[in-house]
Amino acid sequence: DTYRYLEDGNSEFRETNLNKLGVFELLRVDLLYFLDVSGNVVWSVVYDRKTGEEIKLAELSDTFLPPDHPLTSLADKKQKHRGIISTSRGPMLFVAKPSLDSSGNGPSHGTLLFGRFLDGPAIARIGKQARVKLNAWPLQGVELGAEQAAVAANLGDSGETAVRANEDENRIYQVLPDIFGKPALLLQVKAPKLISTQGRA
């Protein structure tokens, strides 16, 4: 149905399937874009699930994304693109996929884009699922602590990992880039020094 909707824009699909609150809660996303093959936005909503209100993101047009934009330049039907978008409301995790039929066949009728803000609860949920103590800081619009600022400046866009430690734990850092390759997010995983702790015990 989605595949056909991106070709003909039928109102029946929109009324039946794109109930804003229902679809966003079902998919647990904050952003949903349907784009045709030319990059025109057929339907889009960015939704604040906390307040229940629609919002606008200056970083993403709600009418058109050019063919060379990282979110629309999917070379073939097997390709998908995922990563981070830096926005005025903080970093957003996204995935973009070609719109294909139910059998995964084409030709593609456009691009489906899903996004979720990487706020505190989302980071905590990811850390819990991975069973690690995970922290994350946007590298735009947020004042970092002294250690985090120094690590972020040192790592830049190198893709390398940095470790800071005290007697009880290691703090492992990495900078994640956004879709344009610019530093977007500083990740920190805390790892207790189990051997030393057991030895003292």
Side-chain angles (χ1 to χ4, degrees), residues 11-55:
S11 59
E12 180 182 351
F13 173 88
R14 190 165 54 247
E15 293 166 2
T16 303
N17 294 282
L18 298 180
N19 171 283
K20 293 171 188 173
L21 180 59
V23 72
F24 277 70
E25 290 301 326
L26 176 66
L27 298 175
R28 291 172 57 198
V29 296
D30 304 299
L31 176 147
L32 183 57
Y33 267 55
F34 291 172
L35 301 102
D36 66 18
V37 291
S38 299
N40 298 305
V41 179
V42 178
W43 188 88
S44 70
V45 171
V46 186
Y47 189 66
D48 187 331
R49 287 185 293 150
K50 294 178 182 177
T51 64
E53 298 177 349
E54 281 188 44
I55 57 178

Side-chain angles (χ1 to χ4, degrees), residues 76-90:
D76 60 57
K77 67 182 184 181
K78 295 182 179 179
Q79 184 179 7
K80 66 180 176 180
H81 192 183
R82 55 190 175 190
I84 297 170
I85 305 172
S86 296
T87 79
S88 55
R89 286 183 169 252

Side-chain angles (χ1 to χ4, degrees), residues 117-135:
F117 286 112
L118 282 169
D119 55 11
I123 294 294
R125 185 167 55 250
I126 293 169
K128 184 176 181 180
Q129 290 171 345
R131 298 182 181 181
V132 296
K133 294 181 179 179
L134 178 67
N135 291 306

